[in-house]
Amino acid sequence: MHHFLKETDFSLEQAQQVFLLAKQFKAERASSAQPLSTQSWGLLFYKSSTRTRISFEVGVHELGGHPVVLNSQNTQIGRGETIEDTAKVMSRYLHGLVIRTFAHSIIEDFAAHASMPIVNGLTDFNHPCQLYTDIFTLLERYSPDDMDIETLKGKKVAFLGDCASNMANSWIHTAAMFGMEIVLAGPEGFEPGSEIDEALKADGLELNYTFTTDPTAAFQDADVIYTDVWVSMGDEAEAEKRKAEMAPYQVTRELLALAKSEAYFMHCLPAHAGEEVSQEVLDSPQSIIFDEAENRLHAQKAIMAKLVELNA
């Protein structure tokens, strides 16, 4: 069974096909193919959601399938039924399952016991659907006709803020996969952890990222500027401490000016203007955050369609 739990669960060739398929789905949205016809896909949420919930529910529908939206607390999972039993039961009803949850081990357990494809809609470790969306959004600019992933090689990404977060981990993994350079800048204590290093080694990828506490060094000659919220779901108890430590790492117009003049600003949203990014940057011509948000729909449709093909 082929699952999509991390960015490298598709080969480079398969990833290239996903981006081309996403382009097709976006261009032909009103009359796109329906590879999920007669299928039912579950969307299981342990965490609240806007973009993941809407984009997957609409995406399953547009691919001809029936989305079944589930909340972990409204299922027997909330009353202690094991993931092993839940995965086996759901596999008897569903053709695929998207999970947005906390511990990465939860989706790994589902994948180990399910006889249907599992899609990672976000865990505390990574967010691969968002990264495929981000890459697709960049390819629309770097290679709009061919979606050629070779055009990503050597592009520099500057990531600011919590560099031990799921988004930072996914960017590190993705940059290594596609031959991009990534420099992460954040306060001491928020550097990438051993878990992402182990994931890179397991996939035979180089540990080619750089971490610095100097945001200006990260921005020099960057092609892409990326940030995320300073306080993720589950970190609310330390919100004020995090905000104080992260304050020097806000993406401002002054920092953006250090990057290449044609650099793009990206954010997976929701954004908190005045915290991780200024309103001026969010509203700037370099900001492509809403194209990025829209593209969750098209990229995720392509991911699901590819999984259906691979598991046929």
Side-chain angles (χ1 to χ4, degrees):
M1 183 59 58
H2 201 120
H3 305 289
F4 187 66
L5 309 186
K6 62 184 189 301
E7 295 77 13
T8 50
D9 282 343
F10 288 135
S11 67
L12 284 173
E13 181 182 358
Q14 290 165 346
Q16 178 69 84
Q17 293 164 357
V18 166
F19 299 131
L20 286 168
L21 193 55
K23 177 189 175 184
Q24 178 185 336
F25 283 146
K26 186 171 184 176
E28 302 172 2
R29 184 177 175 187
S31 59
S32 61
Q34 296 195 320
L36 270 58
S37 178
T38 74
Q39 294 193 4
S40 295
W41 277 60
L43 312 178
L44 177 59
F45 293 90
Y46 289 71
K47 289 185 175 185
S48 58
S49 171
T50 298
R51 279 150 293 277
T52 301
R53 163 71 188 271
I54 297 172
S55 58
F56 268 113
E57 188 168 356
V58 172
V60 170
H61 169 73
E62 291 188 355
L63 291 176
H66 173 66
V68 181
V69 181
L70 304 160
N71 183 293
S72 63
Q73 293 305 306
N74 295 332
T75 68
Q76 294 298 332
I77 295 172
R79 299 183 66 247
E81 185 169 20
T82 66
I83 289 177
E84 179 177 354
D85 287 357
T86 302
K88 289 178 179 178
V89 169
M90 287 186 172
S91 294
R92 301 294 181 104
Y93 304 139
L94 302 170
H95 299 87
L97 180 65
V98 179
I99 305 173
R100 180 179 173 90
T101 189
F102 293 93
H104 194 73
S105 59
I106 291 173
I107 62 163
E108 291 179 325
D109 287 348
F110 265 99
H113 300 291
S115 55
M116 60 181 168
I118 303 297
V119 176
N120 179 356
L122 176 143
T123 69
D124 287 345
F125 174 66
N126 67 350
H127 197 355
C129 288
Q130 180 65 57
L131 261 291
Y132 269 55
T133 296
D134 296 337
I135 294 299
F136 173 61
T137 305
L138 291 172
L139 287 174
E140 286 185 312
R141 287 150 177 84
Y142 296 141
S143 181
D145 295 328
D146 302 324
M147 296 278 121
D148 184 2
I149 59 175
E150 291 294 314
T151 61
L152 299 171
K153 287 186 175 180
K155 298 291 186 185
K156 179 181 177 181
V157 179
F159 187 101
L160 255 67
D162 183 356
C163 301
S165 65
N166 51 8
M167 283 305 305
N169 286 339
S170 274
W171 258 114
I172 290 169
H173 215 162
T174 301
M177 179 180 180
F178 292 110
M180 304 174 78
E181 176 187 358
I182 183 164
V183 181
L184 304 100
E188 291 184 4
F190 291 90
E191 60 271 12
S194 59
E195 195 174 5
I196 185 59
D197 290 351
E198 292 167 3
L200 290 171
K201 291 175 183 176
D203 284 330
L205 297 171
E206 294 183 10
L207 278 66
N208 64 344
Y209 65 87
T210 302
F211 173 77
T212 178
T213 57
D214 179 6
T216 62
F219 270 68
Q220 293 289 342
D221 296 321
D223 297 284
V224 180
I225 306 301
Y226 209 101
T227 192
D228 192 10
V229 296
W230 290 341
V231 183
S232 298
M233 284 181 278
D235 296 327
E236 291 82 2
E238 53 186 64
E240 295 309 312
K241 179 176 181 290
R242 278 175 166 262
K243 289 177 184 178
E245 291 178 303
M246 297 283 182
Y249 299 91
Q250 181 184 110
V251 180
T252 62
R253 192 70 194 178
E254 291 73 24
L255 275 177
L256 192 60
L258 299 176
K260 291 180 179 178
S261 59
E262 68 276 15
Y264 297 110
F265 171 75
M266 305 183 80
H267 192 307
C268 59
L269 301 180
H272 295 86
E275 292 185 13
E276 73 272 10
V277 59
S278 69
Q279 188 66 55
E280 186 180 17
V281 170
L282 287 170
D283 295 338
S284 73
Q286 290 168 272
S287 174
I288 55 174
I289 58 175
F290 293 111
D291 286 346
E292 188 182 357
E294 177 196 341
N295 283 340
R296 285 287 298 276
L297 172 64
H298 314 302
Q300 289 166 182
K301 286 171 67 176
I303 288 167
M304 290 187 288
K306 191 63 182 174
L307 287 174
V308 168
E309 176 192 324
L310 291 172
N311 288 305

